[in-house]
Amino acid sequence: MQSVRGMQDILPEESKYWQYIHQIALNILESANYQEIKTPIVEARSLFERSIGEETDIISKEMYTFNDRAKRALTLRPEGTASIARAILQHNLCANNRTQKLWYFGPMFRYERPQQGRQRQFHQLGIECYGSNHPALDAEIIYIAWSILSKLQCGQVVLHLNSIGNSKERQMYSEQLKQYFLKYIKNLDLRLVQTIHKNPLRLLDSKESKLHEIISGAPNILQYLDNNSTQHFDLVQQYLTDLNVPFQVNNKLVRGLDYYNNTVFEFKTNALGTQDTICGGGRYDSLTQQIGGNPIHAIGWGMGIERLIILLKNHIDIINKPPCIYIATQNTNYIGYSLRILPVIQQYNLKYEIDLSGSSLTKQLQKANKQNAMICIIIGEEEITNHTLTIKWLEEGDQKTYSTASFEQLVPVIASRYKDKFTQNIYKAYSTCL
Ligand code: ATP
Ligand code: MG
């Protein structure tokens, strides 16, 4: 049996990178006072149709939809934003103008052609902030994404920033854009012509090479923004400068989903070929209204974890921590004696490996060395008879036998040898905590 096309196992070697991202992101999100939200993987199909937009790639060709036994049309979520908007309304989380700062991490599903950086099951880390349309919030959430990417050391990413205005401004701009693209209709195939009629904005960030030259001469959306939208965009840029976040304004950036207004942004890299966006987001002040509730100001972003990991691997190598303590038992009949050490080790969060192979002590010691353990606890026939255990320091090679009247003395024995180092380096290097 094989996993389903486009859906991958995440094996232990890979998991280290996931944990690393999780840990760094969590620290930054905690500091910014964000809280985790988890929503179901399955939602009503109509939720996505109404929010993401019928003419988008996701709805027109990428959704995993099926009917359940009661003939409900259900969908494996293609993204997190719509589900969280539903949850906000369903649980009245923004009652009395309360703000909500939420983060999520989980699998998303899109029926796309699998390739490097593009799977059918992929994962996103994202944040959603509800309850304010202040441009400082736009800058702050971008700053959070930027901080996470910088702290992760994933190489150079460039922040592209744009404003797509409100729906009225966008409509006017769309019309102008349509007229512009229609001038080139002779050179374009039917699919592109249909997009010109249905949603010309979508063509602006098209990856189609024959469109590049045409797009470069297209009208600029910023000329269609009114005072409010222009001021909002100017302030976002000002605040980003205050936060020392480098960015470049990219008037061709429109994003692939329909619910955005005003600020949109993407963090891009040139290390991943065409799958070049690591994180994308924007403002969506009318999303809750589109799915049947009151309008609530909101803004957020989503980060593709698999793409991020491809980048990370170019820059850092995360290795598994070795076990600190290797427990070698000469005769497995006495393994119960060895097991009694485990609660003591666990109390100090040290990593251990207990050898159940029954092979010779020499072989077990070789394995302990190979695994780069710091010490090997040896339980031989003699230790059992005398109620002792032997601690062998693997790097230095010396060993000493201790009475096991109290196993509790075990870790202090290790600690006293390495005094200062124990709490800092050694503890960090061998602890089971990240
Ligand atoms: P793309 O243009 O690459 O299709 P998108 O605009 O569809 O991206 P978003 O909906 O903005 O992507 O999702 C946010 C992020 O999630 C993307 O920037 C990307 O890092 C990641 N992502 C999106 N689709 C996939 C996928 N099929 N496989 C892996 N990662 C993905
Ligand atoms: Mg896509």
Side-chain angles (χ1 to χ4, degrees):
M1 297 290 289
Q2 297 281 309
S3 63
V4 174
R5 181 166 147 80
M7 306 204 180
Q8 293 168 348
D9 296 312
I10 298 156
L11 300 176
E13 282 297 300
E14 193 82 8
S15 282
K16 294 174 296 188
Y17 288 87
W18 290 71
Q19 288 166 4
Y20 170 70
I21 295 172
H22 203 267
Q23 186 205 3
I24 286 190
L26 195 57
N27 283 343
I28 290 172
L29 293 167
E30 280 277 331
S31 147
N33 199 21
Y34 275 71
Q35 291 179 302
E36 186 178 15
I37 183 166
K38 290 177 195 277
T39 59
I41 282 167
V42 178
E43 296 273 358
R45 178 191 168 101
S46 55
L47 170 66
F48 303 112
E49 279 170 348
R50 287 168 69 182
S51 58
I52 294 172
E54 304 242 7
E55 298 307 328
T56 59
D57 282 355
I58 294 182
I59 303 296
S60 62
K61 52 182 198 233
E62 296 173 3
M63 292 245 282
Y64 273 93
T65 296
F66 58 95
N67 287 337
D68 72 359
R69 285 166 195 253
K71 307 250 175 325
R72 298 179 191 95
L74 302 179
T75 295
L76 300 185
R77 62 180 185 195
E79 53 114 50
T81 300
S83 308
I84 291 167
R86 180 211 35 79
I88 292 266
L89 292 175
Q90 184 174 335
H91 305 287
N92 221 0
L93 296 183
C94 288
N96 306 321
N97 294 328
R98 264 219 322 266
T99 54
Q100 289 290 343
K101 296 179 174 189
L102 306 169
W103 67 268
Y104 61 91
F105 191 107
M108 308 294 162
F109 301 84
R110 297 185 195 174
Y111 197 87
E112 303 195 71
R113 191 171 70 77
Q115 54 198 288
Q116 146 123 328
R118 196 177 289 289
Q119 297 87 239
R120 292 181 173 173
Q121 175 177 312
F122 65 101
H123 295 73
Q124 280 183 349
L125 163 70
I127 69 175
E128 315 280 333
C129 185
Y130 275 80
S132 166
N133 68 343
H134 199 291
L137 185 62
D138 306 32
E140 189 208 346
I141 69 133
I142 292 173
Y143 169 70
I144 293 173
W146 180 80
S147 310
I148 293 174
L149 293 172
S150 309
K151 192 92 193 269
L152 284 171
Q153 302 171 53
C154 59
Q156 210 205 1
V157 284
V158 177
L159 169 59
H160 292 241
L161 183 72
N162 195 18
S163 172
I164 54 167
N166 60 32
S167 60
K168 213 171 106 208
E169 293 153 356
R170 213 157 42 252
Q171 221 172 343
M172 266 161 44
Y173 175 63
S174 266
E175 193 46 48
Q176 291 305 310
L177 206 55
K178 187 153 110 189
Q179 298 311 324
Y180 171 79
F181 279 126
L182 286 175
K183 289 194 282 187
Y184 299 92
I185 206 162
K186 279 201 301 291
N187 310 329
L188 305 176
D189 59 38
L190 183 64
R191 195 174 42 85
L192 290 174
V193 174
Q194 281 172 343
T195 314
I196 294 179
H197 284 286
K198 283 185 187 158
N199 196 345
L201 256 75
R202 183 96 339 112
L203 290 181
L204 284 180
D205 65 356
S206 165
K207 285 162 187 151
E208 208 95 26
S209 55
K210 62 183 163 198
L211 276 181
H212 286 170
E213 204 178 317
I214 306 178
I215 290 168
S216 65
N220 182 343
I221 189 158
L222 296 186
Q223 277 150 13
Y224 295 79
L225 304 187
D226 70 13
N227 281 346
N228 280 345
S229 291
T230 306
Q231 197 190 18
H232 187 99
F233 191 43
D234 287 346
L235 283 170
V236 173
Q237 293 176 66
Q238 176 59 53
Y239 294 140
L240 282 173
T241 309
D242 290 334
L243 283 162
N244 271 328
V245 177
F247 62 90
Q248 69 191 42
V249 172
N250 173 357
N251 300 128
K252 303 293 186 292
L253 180 72
V254 287
R255 309 277 299 123
L257 302 99
D258 270 2
Y259 47 62
Y260 290 108
N261 63 275
N262 294 90
T263 312
V264 288
F265 58 90
E266 285 186 350
F267 286 89
K268 288 173 182 280
T269 166
N270 51 20
L272 290 182
T274 40
Q275 273 59 255
D276 61 353
T277 306
I278 299 299
C279 172
R283 193 163 260 297
Y284 33 86
D285 295 317
S286 53
L287 175 58
T288 48
Q289 196 173 27
Q290 280 169 41
I291 61 169
N294 292 328
I296 310 173
H297 294 298
I299 182 160
W301 49 251
M303 205 177 267
I305 302 302
E306 283 83 354
R307 281 187 204 174
L308 191 55
I309 289 177
I310 301 175
L311 269 192
L312 272 180
K313 283 183 172 168
N314 293 339
H315 292 91
I316 54 166
D317 196 13
I318 302 176
I319 44 168
N320 253 336
K321 286 180 186 177
C324 176
I325 300 174
Y326 197 92
I327 305 167
T329 312
Q330 186 174 22
N331 180 339
T332 45
N333 287 338
Y334 299 126
I335 209 76
Y337 186 92
S338 306
L339 288 175
R340 286 167 50 204
I341 309 166
L342 303 191
V344 181
I345 300 174
Q346 202 182 63
Q347 208 180 317
Y348 288 85
N349 280 334
L350 288 171
K351 204 181 223 195
Y352 65 85
E353 176 73 36
I354 180 158
D355 194 320
L356 302 176
S357 67
S359 50
S360 71
L361 277 180
T362 318
K363 274 217 172 106
Q364 293 187 45
L365 268 161
Q366 279 167 358
K367 276 201 253 171
N369 272 312
K370 211 165 159 203
Q371 294 197 13
N372 287 325
M374 181 168 75
I375 64 173
C376 184
I377 294 183
I378 301 168
I379 317 267
E381 304 279 356
E382 232 170 83
E383 279 81 3
I384 301 281
T385 319
N386 303 333
H387 299 281
T388 56
L389 55 76
T390 298
I391 290 185
K392 183 174 174 78
W393 300 88
L394 292 172
E395 205 175 304
E396 297 84 350
D398 62 312
Q399 64 181 58
K400 197 171 165 193
T401 298
Y402 297 88
S403 151
T404 54
S406 162
F407 275 113
E408 291 291 328
Q409 284 164 3
L410 175 65
V411 175
V413 162
I414 304 169
S416 67
R417 173 139 178 181
Y418 281 103
K419 267 195 193 98
D420 307 338
K421 279 210 280 177
F422 184 74
T423 43
Q424 297 152 22
N425 306 338
I426 304 256
Y427 188 74
K428 255 197 216 145
Y430 293 105
S431 151
T432 58
C433 305
L434 276 166

